[in-house]
Amino acid sequence: MSLDKFFDTVNQDQDNYVAKLKEIVAIPSISCVAERRADTVRMGEWIIAELERLGATTKRVEPGTQQLDGQTVDLPPVVLATYGTDPSKKTVLIYGHYDVQPALKEDGWNTDPFTLVEDKEHRLIGRGSTDDKGPVLGWLCAIEAHQKIGLDIPVNLKFCFEGMEESGSEGLDAIIAAEAEGYFKGVDCVCISDNYWLGKTKPCLTYGLRGINYFGISVKGPAQDLHSGVFGGTVHEPMTDLITLMASLVDSQGRIRVPGIMDQVADLTDAEKKTYEGLDFSHADLHAALGGAKTELHADPQDTLMHRWRYPALSLHGIEGAFYAPGGKTVIPSHPIGKFSIRTVPDMDPHTVDKLVKEYLEAEFKKLNSKNTLTIICGHHGKPWVSSPDHWNFVAGAKAVERVFNCQPDLTREGGSIPVTLTFQDALKKNVLLLPMGACDDGAHSINEKVDRRNFVEGIKLYGAYFHELAAVKTE
Amino acid sequence: MSLDKFFDTVNQDQDNYVAKLKEIVAIPSISCVAERRADTVRMGEWIIAELERLGATTKRVEPGTQQLDGQTVDLPPVVLATYGTDPSKKTVLIYGHYDVQPALKEDGWNTDPFTLVEDKEHRLIGRGSTDDKGPVLGWLCAIEAHQKIGLDIPVNLKFCFEGMEESGSEGLDAIIAAEAEGYFKGVDCVCISDNYWLGKTKPCLTYGLRGINYFGISVKGPAQDLHSGVFGGTVHEPMTDLITLMASLVDSQGRIRVPGIMDQVADLTDAEKKTYEGLDFSHADLHAALGGAKTELHADPQDTLMHRWRYPALSLHGIEGAFYAPGGKTVIPSHPIGKFSIRTVPDMDPHTVDKLVKEYLEAEFKKLNSKNTLTIICGHHGKPWVSSPDHWNFVAGAKAVERVFNCQPDLTREGGSIPVTLTFQDALKKNVLLLPMGACDDGAHSINEKVDRRNFVEGIKLYGAYFHELAAVKTE
């Protein structure tokens, strides 16, 4: 069946889609701070309204409350929706998230992060444009285009959109477990669009993800910050202890110094090594993504991909409670909290990682003979995930890519973590496909986050084509 | 001569003085950020108006411009003033500063930092209350009280109030040098009230200060912040290099690890050691100032004072450009700048300290084999200072303390730096006395900065008594 009419409609209506993206980027749905919780809930309600406008039936699930910034706040709703219930059709469950990372103009954005702008290169710039509001909206636009030309969607759709992905998907796992035999009953496969192409031009299907363990190192000394002139040299400074501990975690070649971490990493087989040979990736792509910096750790591009996809990494993110502004404040911070995370891979176990990190840091702290008080905060977890790219769900995805982009997709893994992938796989026992919309240089979590207009528009076509290929693909 | 009438007047009018302090605390004259420069200038203008209302003649000196937060801004004015020109009287030059450190409610203040509040213990809480708006205002209140009762001030007063003390006193040195034989001609001694009592009950005169060298360690990698999932393990992370370098500066026992720094410290003589024996100081005072934390580095209180006054210290203040908020952002900062400073003592030379630090950090960075770019930023300097407590200026100060507080003052040094002290001594070749108003627990540069009402009110009396003792003291 030709999809030309559908594709034409998406082309014609693309400005409407971009206007809608602008409308939702303007809602600062930052899930990690209490003061933006109302905006995050508002974003969830926008999606419910849009789904209902399109004729879906929706169910708003309240995951409960959390402690955040010293207060008890409601978690944002998980939006469930059903579009089509024909028992003769396959049913695909689509997941996305409507919350975003923090963003401040002062961080270095060229434009206001919450005002979507399009530049000369047709980049649509704004927080959430690619992570993950663009993809979430894309699915809805694909439905709208079908309705406009009276084209039947040949699969049943179920949706699950959450507002806590950037903050550990709090509350979601319990809902998925509870609905596995309820709202999600009858789902045949799952599709998630929340990652990125390997390069800037060629689409991919993704079958593996790293997990994450997030940590805080809290070192508490005096009851309040001190003047370094008055107290410097006379007290155990919490920052000195903290910085020493942070420095003990990883070296400048990226090697994790916590004993036992690397022992858990699955061996690289020859067969696996071979899969890296055909991939469309060079260090020129990496350098471009780094804005021209040639600061790669590994000489061989395949090593770079392996260290992104199948080896763990430890990143130091920053310090809460220390001086962070421009200028020269002479303060001894009383209670700094260092933040870092470990990207995890098969066969690492999150609880073992927590235990190893905690034991190591406590032992290192003991060596310091400090009178300050150490607390290791084990934050959110996401397990690593690897799937089979031979499953019919991936075959349908590959055919959809061929129809829209006229090429075979790369088969990739990802360095980032989308913990819900594994949650769906474990709870529903169904195959999960990651089908990204954005390109490698979109800058998710960074300043000047963008999605290219091409990726957004062709992504909507890809989602529609995927519906049709799913309906057609053989499941044996 | 009895000063009872003066003291009574100060007691009676104290609420007016506190109301004035509240008025000027409300002006957020933060000198280290461009966006508060207009407020800083406004604060200088408030002082000019107040001096003129009291009958002083004033001179507003513009120190020029500076580069701040990416723009060229005017430096706040240096306010010079003369009150009395009787050639038969001694002339004392009084210095203070009207700028303050940054302060945000979110830093942990119990109340708005720029709204002075008085709590049940009669603490006057607000940014600048003790550092240094309380003392600056105190001098003006002492004049006002004299005028009210028609009491002659038996010395000529000259004032020098600046608005850049918290930012390296930029522009001031040139003005002092230029006015040494001009506006400051005829000055017999100098008095500065910008430090603190050793304890909470007993006043002191201060004859020594540590200096400061402030540094930034800039490590630059990619052009923008990166997502740690996508890039973790594949690039040299600037934070890893930065944290490693920061950890190489000082150990958890407060020992400075930069070679050559300790070699410059003047030896402790037996005579000097003896002066530490009679001081009113115990670790209970320190613990109180730490809000109950017992995190002292040294077992002996005398060692604590020596490490505050006559040994150098290195404090790590924080990191600009990294993640600093609550929550769990998974960012690889692209260009973090670590901030630290060294408190310096005789016979350390600021330029030698800069050189040693720069060479050491560059050598340490080389060992890391990193592809990132290091820049060491040598910030503002203040040389250490030691004076003679036998000078008549100190004798007058001690007698004034006796009249107001009925006790002999402690003779102390200070751990903090007031670079202008040495500038005045070098430029005018006159003795400089530090005569503090605030107590050891005032929390300058910290959250909930305060001055006790008792210190503020008795401080005003002390300043007035000092005028009279100065007039009476023999200068041979």
Side-chain angles (χ1 to χ4, degrees):
Chain A
M1 197 182 79
S2 165
L3 293 174
D4 290 352
K5 211 171 159 195
F6 166 65
F7 293 160
D8 288 347
T9 301
V10 173
N11 282 340
Q12 283 153 20
D13 283 355
Q14 58 178 280
D15 284 343
N16 296 340
Y17 306 151
V18 170
K20 246 176 218 177
L21 184 58
K22 186 179 173 110
E23 187 183 340
I24 59 178
V25 163
I27 303 174
S29 51
I30 302 164
S31 56
C32 74
V33 291
E35 65 172 335
R36 290 288 170 228
R37 182 53 49 91
D39 292 311
T40 309
V41 172
R42 185 157 59 93
M43 183 63 220
E45 287 165 350
W46 188 96
I47 289 173
I48 291 171
E50 184 69 6
L51 280 162
E52 291 184 345
R53 192 184 65 79
L54 290 169
T57 60
T58 66
K59 179 176 175 184
R60 174 180 172 148
V61 186
E62 303 293 342
T65 62
Q66 69 166 161
Q67 292 300 312
L68 188 63
D69 303 345
Q71 42 188 301
T72 304
V73 292
D74 286 331
L75 288 163
V78 171
V79 177
L80 305 182
T82 300
Y83 186 85
T85 56
D86 184 339
S88 70
K89 291 177 178 177
K90 294 194 188 83
T91 299
V92 55
L93 171 61
I94 289 155
Y95 162 91
H97 67 89
Y98 60 80
D99 62 320
V100 297
Q101 284 275 319
L104 294 167
K105 180 82 165 67
E106 306 89 272
D107 293 342
W109 285 70
N110 294 328
T111 53
D112 172 48
F114 296 101
T115 304
L116 189 80
V117 293
E118 182 166 10
D119 71 4
K120 281 180 298 185
E121 280 93 41
H122 300 294
R123 292 185 287 222
L124 305 168
I125 301 162
R127 175 57 90 219
S129 57
T130 198
D131 182 17
D132 186 40
K133 289 178 174 176
V136 164
L137 181 64
W139 294 108
L140 308 185
C141 296
I143 297 175
E144 182 161 0
H146 276 80
Q147 290 180 344
K148 190 166 181 189
I149 56 172
L151 180 62
D152 180 55
I153 294 182
V155 287
N156 301 316
L157 307 177
K158 283 194 181 280
F159 294 99
C160 175
F161 293 135
E162 67 155 322
M164 283 293 287
E165 197 274 342
E166 301 296 2
S167 300
S169 292
E170 200 161 330
L172 184 66
D173 286 10
I175 291 168
I176 293 174
E179 300 288 0
E181 292 300 313
Y183 204 92
F184 299 142
K185 198 175 165 69
V187 163
D188 297 297
C189 63
V190 181
C191 184
I192 297 175
S193 189
D194 188 22
N195 67 309
Y196 308 93
W197 297 354
L198 182 52
K200 284 189 273 188
T201 53
K202 196 176 163 203
C204 67
L205 310 184
T206 304
Y207 69 97
L209 291 167
R210 291 197 291 193
I212 188 170
N213 279 41
Y214 205 97
F215 296 95
I217 306 175
S218 149
V219 183
K220 201 165 158 28
Q224 72 286 323
D225 288 356
L226 304 173
H227 186 306
S228 68
V230 183
F231 294 96
T234 70
V235 298
H236 287 276
E237 298 190 14
M239 275 290 280
T240 308
D241 295 341
L242 174 61
I243 293 282
T244 305
L245 291 178
M246 290 177 82
S248 76
L249 290 165
V250 59
D251 72 18
S252 280
Q253 304 309 311
R255 286 179 292 242
I256 297 173
R257 294 174 61 192
V258 181
I261 294 289
M262 295 308 293
D263 302 342
Q264 302 176 71
V265 177
D267 288 335
L268 177 70
T269 63
D270 287 345
E272 185 187 345
K273 199 164 189 300
K274 274 216 167 59
T275 67
Y276 283 81
E277 281 167 17
L279 294 170
D280 178 25
F281 178 75
S282 77
H283 274 170
D285 301 332
L286 179 65
H287 297 158
L290 301 178
K294 298 181 175 175
T295 56
E296 69 274 9
L297 279 169
H298 311 284
D300 182 339
Q302 290 185 18
D303 281 338
T304 294
L305 287 183
M306 284 185 205
H307 281 273
R308 178 188 296 181
W309 292 350
R310 60 106 56 230
Y311 288 116
L314 192 154
S315 295
L316 305 170
H317 304 302
I319 299 173
E320 178 184 341
F323 179 52
Y324 61 82
K329 193 175 179 185
T330 51
V331 66
I332 297 176
S334 61
H335 183 194
I337 302 173
K339 311 280 181 81
F340 71 98
S341 65
I342 299 178
R343 296 286 165 176
T344 56
V345 297
D347 301 314
M348 292 166 76
D349 169 67
H351 299 287
T352 308
V353 171
D354 276 357
K355 186 169 168 286
L356 289 169
V357 166
K358 201 163 178 289
E359 284 174 359
Y360 173 68
L361 286 173
E362 284 170 354
E364 290 295 304
F365 183 68
K366 211 163 269 180
K367 290 184 198 164
L368 301 182
N369 277 318
S370 170
K371 294 179 181 171
N372 294 318
T373 306
L374 173 75
T375 311
I376 304 301
I377 303 156
C378 296
H380 62 266
H381 280 172
K383 279 197 275 188
W385 165 76
V386 180
S387 173
S388 163
D390 301 325
H391 188 274
W392 55 262
N393 192 18
F394 279 77
V395 173
K399 286 192 173 166
V401 166
E402 244 183 297
R403 270 179 101 137
V404 176
F405 293 92
N406 273 316
C407 67
Q408 287 288 327
D410 278 335
L411 281 177
T412 69
R413 289 164 72 164
E414 271 276 353
S417 93
I418 312 171
V420 73
T421 308
L422 195 64
T423 310
F424 278 121
Q425 184 176 290
D426 288 351
L428 309 187
K429 316 288 182 206
K430 301 294 173 186
N431 181 276
V432 183
L433 162 67
L434 303 190
L435 184 64
M437 170 187 271
C440 70
D441 63 342
D442 279 2
H445 292 212
S446 177
I447 57 168
N448 304 319
E449 177 185 342
K450 60 90 180 169
V451 66
D452 291 339
R453 180 183 275 259
R454 172 192 179 230
N455 286 60
F456 182 56
V457 173
E458 301 304 301
I460 294 167
K461 294 179 193 169
L462 175 65
Y463 296 163
Y466 170 62
F467 298 156
H468 293 272
E469 295 297 345
L470 265 186
V473 73
K474 287 196 179 144
T475 59
E476 292 138 34
Chain B
M1 196 181 79
S2 163
L3 292 174
D4 291 351
K5 210 170 159 194
F6 167 66
F7 293 161
D8 289 346
T9 303
V10 173
N11 283 338
Q12 285 153 22
D13 286 354
Q14 58 180 278
D15 284 343
N16 296 339
Y17 307 150
V18 171
K20 245 176 220 178
L21 184 58
K22 185 179 173 111
E23 186 182 340
I24 59 179
V25 163
I27 303 173
S29 51
I30 302 163
S31 56
C32 74
V33 289
E35 65 172 337
R36 290 287 169 228
R37 182 53 48 90
D39 293 310
T40 310
V41 171
R42 183 157 61 93
M43 182 63 218
E45 287 165 350
W46 188 98
I47 290 173
I48 292 171
E50 184 69 5
L51 280 162
E52 291 185 345
R53 190 185 66 80
L54 291 169
T57 60
T58 65
K59 179 177 175 183
R60 174 180 173 148
V61 187
E62 304 293 343
T65 61
Q66 70 167 158
Q67 292 300 312
L68 188 62
D69 303 342
Q71 42 188 299
T72 303
V73 293
D74 286 331
L75 288 163
V78 172
V79 177
L80 304 181
T82 300
Y83 186 84
T85 55
D86 184 339
S88 70
K89 294 177 176 175
K90 294 195 189 81
T91 299
V92 55
L93 171 61
I94 290 154
Y95 162 90
H97 67 91
Y98 61 79
D99 63 320
V100 296
Q101 284 275 320
L104 293 169
K105 181 84 165 68
E106 306 89 270
D107 293 342
W109 285 70
N110 295 328
T111 53
D112 172 49
F114 296 101
T115 304
L116 190 79
V117 292
E118 182 166 13
D119 70 4
K120 282 180 298 186
E121 280 92 41
H122 301 293
R123 291 185 287 222
L124 305 167
I125 301 162
R127 175 58 89 219
S129 57
T130 198
D131 182 19
D132 185 38
K133 289 179 175 176
V136 163
L137 180 63
W139 294 109
L140 308 184
C141 295
I143 297 175
E144 182 161 0
H146 276 80
Q147 290 181 347
K148 190 165 181 187
I149 57 174
L151 179 63
D152 180 54
I153 294 180
V155 287
N156 301 315
L157 307 177
K158 283 194 181 282
F159 294 99
C160 176
F161 294 135
E162 67 155 323
M164 283 294 287
E165 197 274 342
E166 302 295 1
S167 302
S169 292
E170 200 160 331
L172 184 67
D173 286 10
I175 291 166
I176 293 172
E179 298 290 359
E181 291 301 312
Y183 205 90
F184 299 141
K185 198 175 167 69
V187 164
D188 297 298
C189 63
V190 181
C191 185
I192 298 176
S193 190
D194 187 21
N195 66 309
Y196 306 94
W197 295 356
L198 181 51
K200 283 189 274 189
T201 53
K202 197 175 162 205
C204 67
L205 310 182
T206 305
Y207 69 97
L209 291 168
R210 292 196 290 194
I212 189 170
N213 279 40
Y214 205 98
F215 296 95
I217 306 175
S218 148
V219 183
K220 201 164 159 29
Q224 72 285 324
D225 288 356
L226 304 174
H227 186 306
S228 68
V230 182
F231 294 96
T234 69
V235 298
H236 287 277
E237 298 190 14
M239 275 290 279
T240 307
D241 295 341
L242 175 61
I243 293 282
T244 304
L245 291 178
M246 290 176 82
S248 76
L249 290 164
V250 59
D251 72 19
S252 280
Q253 304 308 310
R255 287 179 293 242
I256 297 173
R257 295 174 61 192
V258 182
I261 294 289
M262 296 309 292
D263 302 343
Q264 301 176 73
V265 177
D267 289 334
L268 177 70
T269 64
D270 287 343
E272 186 189 345
K273 198 164 190 300
K274 275 218 165 62
T275 67
Y276 283 81
E277 280 166 17
L279 293 170
D280 178 26
F281 177 76
S282 77
H283 275 171
D285 301 332
L286 179 64
H287 298 159
L290 301 179
K294 298 181 176 175
T295 56
E296 69 274 9
L297 278 169
H298 311 284
D300 182 339
Q302 291 185 18
D303 281 338
T304 294
L305 288 183
M306 284 185 205
H307 281 273
R308 179 188 295 181
W309 293 351
R310 60 104 56 232
Y311 288 117
L314 192 154
S315 295
L316 305 170
H317 304 301
I319 299 173
E320 178 185 341
F323 180 52
Y324 61 82
K329 194 175 177 184
T330 50
V331 67
I332 297 175
S334 61
H335 183 194
I337 302 173
K339 312 280 181 82
F340 72 98
S341 65
I342 298 178
R343 296 284 165 177
T344 56
V345 298
D347 303 314
M348 291 166 75
D349 168 67
H351 299 286
T352 308
V353 171
D354 277 357
K355 187 169 167 285
L356 289 169
V357 166
K358 201 165 178 288
E359 284 174 0
Y360 173 68
L361 285 173
E362 285 171 351
E364 290 295 305
F365 183 68
K366 210 163 270 179
K367 291 183 198 165
L368 302 183
N369 276 318
S370 170
K371 294 178 180 170
N372 293 318
T373 306
L374 173 75
T375 310
I376 305 300
I377 302 155
C378 296
H380 62 267
H381 280 171
K383 278 197 275 188
W385 165 77
V386 180
S387 173
S388 162
D390 301 325
H391 189 272
W392 55 261
N393 193 17
F394 280 77
V395 173
K399 287 191 173 166
V401 167
E402 245 183 297
R403 272 179 99 138
V404 176
F405 293 92
N406 273 315
C407 68
Q408 288 289 328
D410 279 335
L411 282 176
T412 68
R413 289 164 72 164
E414 272 275 353
S417 93
I418 312 172
V420 74
T421 309
L422 196 66
T423 311
F424 278 122
Q425 184 175 291
D426 288 352
L428 308 187
K429 316 290 180 205
K430 301 294 173 186
N431 181 275
V432 183
L433 163 67
L434 304 190
L435 184 64
M437 169 187 273
C440 70
D441 62 341
D442 280 1
H445 292 213
S446 177
I447 57 167
N448 303 318
E449 176 184 343
K450 61 90 180 168
V451 66
D452 291 339
R453 181 183 275 259
R454 172 192 178 231
N455 287 60
F456 182 56
V457 173
E458 301 304 300
I460 294 167
K461 295 179 192 169
L462 175 65
Y463 296 164
Y466 170 62
F467 297 156
H468 293 271
E469 295 297 346
L470 264 186
V473 73
K474 287 196 179 142
T475 59
E476 288 138 35

